[in-house]
Amino acid sequence: MASTKFEKGSEEWQFFKDYYIFRQQFYKADDGDSWFEEMMKSGELLIEKYSKTNISKYVQSLVFSHFEDVERRYRKEMKGN
């Protein structure tokens, strides 16, 4: 099995650092459209930052998966209330 270690400062390393911060900042939805708009804008900026890299499709996919995850958990929470 082939494995790799992302070198500090590489595109992958920097992305995962940025994604970790993004994921923590926008993990749980606040009640209100402005929070969702801010999350979407921040995610779009992350996608744009890595748009000219070899991992651009992966970045987009992961950010969109985060959007879906937040929405799913938010809807579940709203049904429970």
Side-chain angles (χ1 to χ4, degrees), residues 4-59:
T4 190
K5 180 177 179 178
F6 300 129
E7 294 298 319
K8 189 173 183 176
S10 68
E11 289 174 348
E12 292 91 348
W13 184 89
Q14 186 61 49
F15 167 68
F16 283 113
K17 182 180 169 196
D18 290 344
Y19 181 75
Y20 181 74
I21 292 167
F22 168 74
R23 179 83 170 155
Q24 286 187 311
Q25 183 178 3
F26 295 103
Y27 184 75
K28 186 172 180 180
D30 288 346
D31 203 16
D33 290 340
S34 64
W35 185 91
F36 280 97
E37 289 172 11
E38 187 178 342
M39 176 188 68
M40 300 287 282
K41 183 178 180 182
S42 185
E44 289 170 3
L45 289 173
L46 199 53
I47 290 169
E48 178 63 29
K49 180 177 180 178
Y50 292 95
S51 66
K52 294 182 178 27
T53 67
N54 292 331
I55 60 170
S56 62
K57 289 292 185 188
Y58 178 72
V59 169

